Amino acid sequence: MTAIKHALQRDIFTPNDERLLSIVNVCKAGKKKRNCFLCATVTTERPVQVNVVKVKKSDKGDFYKRQTAWALRDLAVVDAKDAVKESPEFDLHFDKVYKWVASSTVEKNTFISCIWKLNQRYLRKKIDFINVSSQLLEESVPSGENQSVAGGDEEAVDEYQELNAREEQDIEIMMEGCEYAIANAEAFAEKLSRELQVLDGANIQSIMASEKQVNILMKLLDEALKEVDQIELKLSSYEEMLQSVKEQMDQISESNHLIHLSNTNNVKLLSEIEFLVNHMDLAKGHIKALQEGDLTSSRGIEACTNAADALLQCMNVALRPGHDMLHAVKQQQQRFSDLREQFARRLASHLNSVFVQQGHDQSSTLAQHSAELTLPNHHPFHRDLLRYAKLMEWLKNTDYGKYEGLTKNYMDYLSRLYEREIKDFFEVAKIKMTGTTREGKKFATLPRKESAVKQETESLHGSSGKLTGSTSSLNKLSVQSSGNRRSQSSSLLDMGNMSASDLDVADRTKFDKIFEQVLSELEPLCLAEQDFISKFFKLQQHQSTSGMTMNEVEEMDGVALSRSHTAGVPQTVSSEKDMIRQMMTKIFRCIEPELNNLIALGDKIDSFNSLYMLVKMSHHVWTAQNVDPASFLSTTLGNVLVTVKRNFDKCISNQMKQMDEVKISKKSKVGILPFVAEFEEFAALAESIFKNAERRGDLDKAYIKLIRAVFDSVEKVANESQKTPRDVVMMENFHHIFATLSRLKISCLEAEKKEAKQKYTDHLQSYVIYSLGQPLEKLNHFFEGVEARVAQGIREEEVSYQLAFNKQELRKVIKEYPGKEVKKGLDNLYKKVDKHLCEEENLLQVVWHSMQDEFIRQYKHFEGLIARCYPGSGITMEFTIQDILDYCSSIAQSH
């Protein structure tokens, strides 16, 4: 085993700067016996690394190779299997358990003992040894255990130590000096022993020879000791002297420390006093301003503002720990609180007086605006109050209760003032709007509350009454000459007490201007007040996309009107913005009811006024939303716009319902139906009003509804007509509709325009064919028989051989239609058409020309049959195409 150990050291571990400490010949338990060696090694360089290396002998030669290496620090457990009974088996627990069987128990114990020593020295006993005999471990560390563990020589642990190069060289030189060193080792050893004895003797003699020098050295040492004793005595005296100096220096140092501590405390105390004086001392001028400052002059307001800011800074100063326990600080804080309370009370009282005085001052100016459609200007009042804006901000930050009280008082005073101004303003607008009409006078003379109630009642229940009156008047209609068309249209347009035809363009233009002026006066008033509230009460106005948009208004139904002013606003809007809206709602609570009353009056005067109001209101809502979609003005106008849109829809619905209820006279010709003429008037008026308007989509939807209702009603009336042929009613009215749409060029009705043209053309052709009938009736029957024979398979040129259709029969039929009879028939036809058609549409010549073309077409058809079926017979009609043209021309000129 020693030879193997030497070989492994030389071949494997020396090249890797390692030393082999222990080796054991093992094989894996339970497997085929393939021997290998487990080696415990340490590195020669520091820091020392301890490894367990598995070495295997090569199968192809007598040399060894390194197979696996584990760091000893990764070894967790060494299991010897049995601490009592000798067993060659043992386990090493690395990353997994490795089971080994040693070649002998002695090698196993030696290897485990080496591992235990390495664990004691390098790993601080991290490895657990189980089932290991305690006697084995005790033998591993005899009396020198502590020294070994504490870090004695590595040689005490090592069983083998390799010679270094110098030692090897000395041995070789010594052996070269003796020829028989190898051949006769005993003689060589004996020689070495003799030489060692000689050297020992020389050493003893040298020691004995140096005894005199030793005595001299000892004497010198004794003298040195005496000198040391003397020096120690002097040092002791010096130490006693320095001890007193040390005590004095300690006293001085302690005194200096106390002086330094006192200075430090004084500096800190001065800093605290300066902090309190600088931050909690209010100038006498500020105190005087807060107690007696003039709140009416600009200079006094500025002084009070500066004093209030200084007071707020003193009260909000961040005190350092412990300051609030000082009596002076508590006193000063109480004084500041008293000053704040006193000034806040004085400021609130003064501003309340200003609010009241403003209400009286503005009331005195109402008389100046009573006859004019203008609202009083509040700018001077706002300008005067804005001087107190900073003081209001101070009051908001210091005494919110008084701030809220001022806000409430301002809303109370201003709401009453604005209510008087706005109601008087709307009374003037109503008077100017109604003019001299009876309905206007009735509304203008009603008390304000009764007027509002009556208008609301009539707006809710008036539809049935209007329609009943309209129907009763329609029952009295009679289809007369063209001079009565306008009166029929006027009766059909009756919207309650007033007819749209009774009002001229000037009346509607006047209403439009008055309504626009009302909105133009209200808009700057609301915006100016909202801006003032924001600045004076220090409330932020943040832009938001909330609020009622135009699309929402467009799609809202009747339920939407019951919603509050804040409809559509998200719940996360800031409280300050909510406060602005609440203040505006309370101050201008009368605007929306008054606007609704004015709109109801305008709709009562003329339902077509809803068109003007829709355009104007939409424009103002759009403008207000561009400024602030969530503002009070935008929300209020949006709510009112819903009412206007409802009136507009009601106007359209009433017209459609009147079309359904229209009745025609059974004794007179129909002509242009009243609702067709009314649609023309409505479209012309709407196009002039809605030019470049934002709500063109509403009008386009109304157009579609109305035109479909007109189409259906025309067809219904045409089917019910007894005096006038159905085709004439359809032809004349659809021609009128087509002409109207072509003239107005309404883009959304292009399809309806094409449909009207097609219906007009179809019914014109149908009427021509129906009225013209068969002017050559017998001749027509004759040629129908001819065509029937041809259809049965008889050749056209053989038809003349048929008994009933020979040439004689043809000449007989032709003789019955001389030119004079034909002209007489055409003249009667012209008179008949003239009775059917109305004069205002002027379609007589168009119809007559179409009849002429149809008659010529029939004539050519007969001549063609004669030429094909009776070739070479020389048979012709007794009148020519030129004769037909002459007859038609002379008849048209004679009438």
Side-chain angles (χ1 to χ4, degrees):
M1 183 62 71
T2 304
I4 294 173
K5 184 176 181 182
H6 180 73
L8 291 175
Q9 175 68 47
R10 182 185 66 247
D11 297 339
I12 294 178
F13 299 112
T14 299
N16 293 329
D17 295 329
E18 293 179 290
R19 285 190 296 111
L20 178 62
L21 303 182
S22 180
I23 184 171
V24 58
N25 186 5
V26 296
C27 63
K28 291 187 178 180
K31 292 190 177 181
K32 184 178 179 181
K33 302 296 183 180
R34 298 186 65 180
N35 291 345
C36 57
F37 297 97
L38 290 180
C39 305
T41 66
V42 295
T43 57
T44 57
E45 296 180 354
R46 293 185 184 276
V48 176
Q49 295 182 7
V50 185
N51 298 318
V52 176
V53 183
K54 178 183 176 183
V55 178
K56 184 180 179 182
K57 189 174 182 180
S58 175
D59 298 334
K60 297 182 180 180
D62 192 13
F63 62 90
Y64 300 93
K65 61 180 179 180
R66 187 180 187 130
Q67 190 172 18
T68 309
W70 298 274
L72 191 63
R73 65 176 177 273
D74 296 334
L75 180 60
V77 178
V78 175
D79 186 0
K81 295 296 185 180
D82 197 335
V84 179
K85 185 179 179 181
E86 295 290 339
S87 171
E89 297 181 1
F90 67 97
D91 296 344
L92 299 181
H93 293 231
F94 288 103
D95 54 344
K96 65 179 183 178
V97 179
Y98 294 91
K99 298 180 180 293
W100 305 102
V101 180
S103 60
S104 67
T105 306
V106 176
E107 288 185 13
K108 164 192 163 183
N109 293 337
T110 302
F111 182 76
I112 291 176
S113 176
C114 181
I115 295 296
W116 190 85
K117 293 174 185 178
L118 293 173
N119 177 49
Q120 294 292 319
R121 179 170 184 178
Y122 295 108
L123 301 182
R124 299 291 185 261
K125 304 180 182 180
K126 290 184 178 179
I127 302 174
D128 292 334
F129 290 83
I130 59 176
N131 299 323
V132 179
S133 173
S134 58
Q135 183 180 359
L136 175 63
L137 300 180
E138 290 174 357
E139 290 176 355
S140 301
V141 184
S143 59
E145 178 181 2
N146 293 334
Q147 296 176 358
S148 176
V149 174
D153 292 337
E154 292 181 3
E155 286 75 13
V157 182
D158 299 341
E159 292 183 2
Y160 170 81
Q161 183 175 2
E162 185 179 5
L163 296 178
N164 57 33
R166 183 177 179 82
E167 291 174 340
E168 289 180 358
Q169 186 178 4
D170 291 342
I171 292 174
E172 288 177 359
I173 293 173
M174 184 178 64
M175 294 177 70
E176 287 175 358
C178 184
E179 296 179 356
Y180 53 86
I182 299 176
N184 191 353
E186 292 181 359
F188 179 66
E190 186 177 351
K191 179 184 178 182
L192 291 177
S193 178
R194 287 197 301 270
E195 288 180 356
L196 181 60
Q197 290 176 0
V198 172
L199 290 174
D200 287 341
N203 287 336
I204 293 171
Q205 290 178 0
S206 176
I207 292 171
M208 292 176 64
S210 61
E211 182 178 359
K212 184 178 181 180
Q213 284 82 0
V214 170
N215 292 331
I216 295 171
L217 179 61
M218 293 298 291
K219 184 178 180 181
L220 291 174
L221 288 174
D222 290 338
E223 292 176 356
L225 289 173
K226 292 178 181 180
E227 291 293 331
V228 169
D229 291 337
Q230 291 177 1
I231 291 173
E232 286 182 352
L233 290 174
K234 290 183 180 181
L235 290 175
S236 297
S237 64
Y238 292 156
E239 186 176 357
E240 291 176 359
M241 295 170 63
L242 290 174
Q243 185 65 32
S244 63
V245 175
K246 180 179 178 297
E247 292 176 359
Q248 294 175 4
M249 292 301 296
D250 289 342
Q251 292 177 358
I252 293 172
S253 175
E254 185 177 357
S255 177
N256 288 338
H257 175 69
L258 292 175
I259 293 172
H260 177 71
L261 184 61
S262 176
N263 290 337
T264 302
N265 289 337
N266 289 334
V267 171
K268 290 183 177 180
L269 179 59
L270 180 62
S271 173
E272 297 296 329
I273 293 173
E274 288 179 347
F275 173 80
L276 293 175
V277 170
N278 292 335
H279 292 87
M280 296 195 67
D281 186 27
L282 191 62
K284 293 182 179 179
H286 289 334
I287 296 174
K288 185 177 180 181
L290 292 173
Q291 293 176 340
E292 305 173 1
D294 184 10
L295 289 173
T296 58
S297 65
S298 298
R299 181 175 298 179
I301 293 172
E302 184 178 0
C304 291
T305 303
N306 295 334
D309 291 339
L311 176 62
L312 186 61
Q313 290 178 2
C314 291
M315 296 185 69
N316 292 339
V317 64
L319 295 177
R320 297 171 184 173
H323 285 178
D324 54 350
M325 300 176 65
L326 296 175
H327 180 68
V329 172
K330 292 181 180 178
Q331 236 179 5
Q332 194 75 343
Q333 287 178 333
Q334 183 60 42
R335 186 182 182 190
F336 291 157
S337 298
D338 295 341
L339 280 173
R340 179 190 64 186
E341 181 66 25
Q342 180 183 356
F343 181 69
R345 189 165 52 249
R346 196 162 69 91
L347 176 63
S349 176
H350 176 75
L351 289 178
N352 279 326
S353 300
V354 174
F355 296 160
V356 174
Q357 184 62 34
Q358 170 64 18
H360 293 313
D361 294 344
Q362 286 291 112
S363 299
S364 63
T365 62
L366 288 178
Q368 303 174 5
H369 299 271
S370 59
E372 302 175 6
L373 194 57
T374 57
L375 284 166
N377 188 5
H378 288 248
H379 177 70
F381 173 56
H382 292 165
R383 182 190 60 219
D384 293 341
L385 278 180
L386 282 177
R387 298 181 301 169
Y388 301 96
K390 291 184 178 179
L391 290 176
M392 282 297 296
E393 183 178 12
W394 175 87
L395 189 63
K396 179 181 179 182
N397 295 329
T398 57
D399 193 339
Y400 197 77
K402 288 187 173 57
Y403 171 82
E404 279 189 326
L406 275 176
T407 304
K408 184 177 182 302
N409 291 339
Y410 179 82
M411 290 189 294
D412 291 340
Y413 291 132
L414 267 292
S415 61
R416 291 195 291 269
L417 174 62
Y418 275 120
E419 186 171 4
R420 292 196 302 271
E421 293 178 354
I422 291 172
K423 287 189 175 181
D424 290 342
F425 171 74
F426 273 95
E427 286 301 318
V428 174
K430 290 175 183 177
I431 293 173
K432 290 181 175 292
M433 193 177 288
T434 53
T436 58
T437 59
R438 294 179 182 177
E439 190 68 21
K441 287 182 180 179
K442 181 176 68 173
F443 274 94
T445 54
L446 279 174
R448 185 176 289 118
K449 292 184 179 179
E450 294 180 7
S451 176
V453 172
K454 181 174 179 63
Q455 289 172 5
E456 289 176 2
T457 304
E458 292 189 4
S459 65
L460 291 173
H461 305 290
S463 298
S464 60
K466 294 176 187 177
L467 293 175
T468 303
S470 176
T471 306
S472 62
S473 61
L474 285 171
N475 289 334
K476 300 176 183 178
L477 285 175
S478 59
V479 181
Q480 298 173 355
S481 62
S482 60
N484 297 329
R485 184 177 67 85
R486 186 61 185 172
S487 63
Q488 295 169 6
S489 174
S490 301
S491 300
L492 187 63
L493 273 175
D494 183 21
M495 296 288 181
N497 297 320
M498 301 195 70
S499 172
S501 61
D502 295 333
L503 298 171
D504 56 11
V505 177
D507 294 330
R508 290 172 177 166
T509 304
K510 182 183 74 171
F511 173 83
D512 183 33
K513 289 181 179 179
I514 293 173
F515 192 73
E516 170 64 22
Q517 188 172 357
V518 168
L519 296 179
S520 299
E521 288 289 325
L522 289 175
E523 185 172 341
L525 181 72
C526 293
L527 292 177
E529 185 62 32
Q530 180 168 320
D531 184 61
F532 167 75
I533 288 174
S534 173
K535 291 178 180 178
F536 182 70
F537 291 99
K538 294 301 177 182
L539 302 173
Q540 297 297 324
Q541 298 187 78
H542 303 288
Q543 288 295 330
S544 170
T545 57
S546 60
M548 187 181 297
T549 62
M550 293 285 285
N551 291 333
E552 289 174 343
V553 174
E554 188 172 333
E555 297 174 0
M556 291 178 76
D557 55 13
V559 181
L561 274 178
S562 63
R563 298 198 304 177
S564 65
H565 292 290
T566 58
V569 181
Q571 298 300 319
T572 57
V573 179
S574 65
S575 58
E576 290 190 349
K577 193 164 188 179
D578 288 337
M579 189 170 180
I580 291 178
R581 190 179 297 108
Q582 290 171 6
M583 292 179 68
M584 290 291 293
T585 302
K586 185 169 183 180
I587 291 173
F588 293 107
R589 59 194 172 197
C590 63
I591 284 184
E592 186 171 341
E594 289 294 333
L595 272 174
N596 286 332
N597 290 340
L598 189 68
I599 290 168
L601 176 61
D603 188 58
K604 197 72 175 178
I605 294 173
D606 182 1
S607 62
F608 279 9
N609 284 337
S610 60
L611 277 69
Y612 291 98
M613 290 188 287
L614 182 63
V615 172
K616 296 300 181 183
M617 188 61 70
S618 300
H619 175 71
H620 283 272
V621 169
W622 180 79
T623 304
Q625 287 181 348
N626 284 341
V627 176
D628 183 3
S631 66
F632 165 79
L633 179 65
S634 176
T635 306
T636 301
L637 293 183
N639 291 338
V640 176
L641 179 59
V642 175
T643 304
V644 175
K645 177 62 167 58
R646 176 181 294 171
N647 290 342
F648 174 77
D649 294 340
K650 186 174 68 175
C651 173
I652 301 301
S653 300
N654 285 343
Q655 293 189 53
M656 294 171 61
K657 192 167 186 179
Q658 290 165 11
M659 293 178 194
D660 293 337
E661 296 176 354
V662 69
K663 297 187 181 302
I664 59 172
S665 173
K666 298 180 180 180
K667 298 181 180 180
S668 303
K669 62 182 177 181
V670 177
I672 301 301
L673 292 169
F675 52 80
V676 174
E678 163 54 19
F679 175 77
E680 177 184 10
E681 180 183 357
F682 172 82
L685 178 63
E687 286 300 307
S688 64
I689 296 173
F690 278 80
K691 187 176 182 181
N692 301 323
E694 288 85 359
R695 297 188 65 96
R696 176 74 195 192
D698 292 329
L699 180 63
D700 290 343
K701 292 178 182 178
Y703 275 148
I704 298 297
K705 292 180 180 179
L706 278 177
I707 196 67
R708 297 317 311 178
V710 169
F711 280 16
D712 295 343
S713 298
V714 168
E715 195 153 347
K716 175 186 173 185
V717 171
N719 293 333
E720 295 175 354
S721 174
Q722 298 180 2
K723 182 69 174 178
T724 305
R726 177 180 183 277
D727 288 326
V728 173
V729 177
M730 298 285 284
M731 173 186 65
E732 288 184 326
N733 284 278
F734 279 109
H735 177 269
H736 191 85
I737 294 170
F738 170 71
T740 300
L741 297 180
S742 299
R743 175 170 55 84
L744 296 178
K745 298 179 181 179
I746 302 173
S747 59
C748 67
L749 298 181
E750 280 298 320
E752 284 73 12
K753 184 179 76 172
K754 293 178 182 178
E755 183 181 352
K757 182 180 181 181
Q758 185 63 41
K759 287 181 178 292
Y760 155 68
T761 304
D762 293 345
H763 288 285
L764 171 63
Q765 187 66 26
S766 175
Y767 176 67
V768 168
I769 294 174
Y770 171 78
S771 299
L772 187 62
Q774 298 175 352
L776 310 177
E777 184 175 1
K778 293 181 180 181
L779 189 61
N780 192 66
H781 286 314
F782 181 84
F783 282 112
E784 284 180 356
V786 171
E787 289 175 343
R789 293 293 186 275
V790 173
Q792 292 173 3
I794 300 175
R795 295 172 59 185
E796 290 182 342
E797 58 269 18
E798 296 177 358
V799 172
S800 60
Y801 299 107
Q802 296 290 319
L803 180 63
F805 301 101
N806 55 27
K807 297 177 183 179
Q808 289 76 12
E809 290 295 326
L810 174 61
R811 288 190 180 95
K812 182 178 177 182
V813 172
I814 289 175
K815 285 182 180 179
E816 293 185 13
Y817 294 99
K820 183 177 179 181
E821 288 297 324
V822 170
K823 183 178 181 180
K824 182 178 179 182
L826 290 175
D827 187 62
N828 292 333
L829 179 62
Y830 187 90
K831 293 177 181 178
K832 178 182 178 182
V833 171
D834 188 25
K835 290 180 179 180
H836 289 165
L837 299 180
C838 64
E839 294 181 4
E840 57 265 40
E841 202 58 25
N842 198 21
L843 290 178
L844 179 58
Q845 295 304 320
V846 176
V847 174
W848 184 244
H849 189 270
S850 297
M851 288 183 171
Q852 172 185 293
D853 294 340
E854 177 62 23
F855 190 36
I856 292 174
R857 187 193 65 77
Q858 290 186 15
Y859 179 87
K860 290 180 179 180
H861 176 66
F862 294 154
E863 281 197 333
L865 286 175
I866 293 173
R868 292 194 304 275
C869 297
Y870 302 93
S873 63
I875 300 174
T876 60
M877 305 288 284
E878 295 192 359
F879 56 93
T880 62
I881 292 177
Q882 185 60 44
D883 293 336
I884 295 174
L885 294 174
D886 293 340
Y887 297 157
C888 291
S889 177
S890 62
I891 291 171
Q893 290 176 2
S894 64
H895 292 278

